[in-house]
Amino acid sequence: MAEVRVERTEDGFRAVNARGASVAIGDGDAEGVFSPVELLLAALGGCELVTVEPLTAKRGHRMARLAATVQADKIATSRLGTITIAYDVELPEGDEKAPDVLAAVAKRVHDSYCTVGNALKEPMKVDQIV
């Protein structure tokens, strides 16, 4: 089970996990914090990259740089349009197979193996207990 605790602090909000990691949360105008939408985008990009990295490295093609920019436009109040993930990769020097391996692994991860991406693609029940 995945679980985080989100609580109000003196200067905004903070999400904390059981392993002691935390992230500051605020609205889109607050400095030094992530908005909830930015966290959603980070979760998607992070999910893809932390899944792609070991799979390409395991095949002997560790990318020199592996990053992604994830963006979405707000198309209506409380609605996002299409989310775009643009990979920013530096291929390993002299590895002619790396581009094909990366493309194949990234496609499989995006289509099937990223839990966050799968959750965003399918309708999902979200319960609230107040």
Side-chain angles (χ1 to χ4, degrees), residues 31-92:
E31 292 294 320
V33 300
F34 282 92
S35 74
V37 171
E38 290 167 334
L39 288 172
L40 175 75
L41 300 178
L44 178 59
C47 183
E48 287 210 8
L49 293 184
V50 302
T51 307
V52 165
E53 166 63 22
L55 294 174
T56 55
K58 180 178 168 182
R59 288 163 176 76
H61 307 280
R62 188 166 195 278
M63 302 302 123
R65 181 182 67 251
L66 181 60
T69 300
V70 187
Q71 61 184 24
D73 291 323
K74 207 169 201 179
I75 59 171
T77 303
S78 302
R79 297 279 180 224
L80 294 178
T82 301
I83 299 173
T84 304
I85 304 167
Y87 276 69
D88 176 16
V89 178
E90 182 180 336
L91 299 169

Side-chain angles (χ1 to χ4, degrees), residues 11-12 41 68 95 105 114 128:
D11 53 353
L41 300 178
D95 185 346
V105 168
C114 173
Q128 178 188 51

